[in-house]
Amino acid sequence: MQHEAKAARTVKEDRTDYLTEERYGHTAAHATMALTGTEWGVTTWNTRPRSVGRVTVCASNGPFAFQESISPVEARLIAQALLMAADDAEKAIDAAYVQDEVTA
């Protein structure tokens, strides 16, 4: 495999990154999603007075780039929604797989 993305804390002097991607011996502060090629980043800031206590979420794909700084409460709400959606999506995949086995 040429690259590996993972969720892990990477602490730097001015910030902490939470998604990293190892590619060709270099570590990037984002994770690239295989299906879409979208790069995602999640960061907290250690030294920027206006950003301390905020979570910055970034997404970029080609010319499109989105960045938003949100509160910890908002970050937790979005994380909970993503976990619930992931659970439901996995259940739908499992149900479709079982249905395919039954009809075969």
Side-chain angles (χ1 to χ4, degrees):
M1 183 177 210
Q2 294 180 346
H3 63 88
E4 178 184 344
K6 62 183 175 179
R9 281 185 187 88
T10 304
V11 179
K12 299 183 178 177
E13 183 177 323
D14 64 334
R15 69 185 184 273
T16 302
D17 296 309
Y18 297 87
L19 288 174
T20 60
E21 183 174 82
E22 299 290 331
R23 189 181 287 247
Y24 307 113
H26 300 286
T27 301
H30 66 263
T32 304
M33 300 300 121
L35 292 177
T36 63
T38 300
E39 295 179 355
W40 287 89
V42 178
T43 302
T44 57
W45 302 95
N46 306 327
T47 59
R48 291 184 180 177
R50 294 179 141 184
S51 299
V52 169
R54 307 290 286 171
V55 177
T56 301
V57 180
C58 307
S60 63
N61 190 328
F64 171 81
F66 171 81
Q67 179 174 315
E68 184 72 24
S69 290
I70 57 179
S71 72
V73 170
E74 294 167 320
R76 283 189 183 93
L77 178 64
I78 292 168
Q80 289 171 344
L82 285 170
L83 287 170
M84 285 190 292
D87 288 345
D88 290 349
E90 283 180 337
K91 288 175 188 172
I93 291 169
D94 291 345
Y97 181 74
V98 168
Q99 186 176 13
D100 284 348
E101 283 186 344
V102 170
T103 58

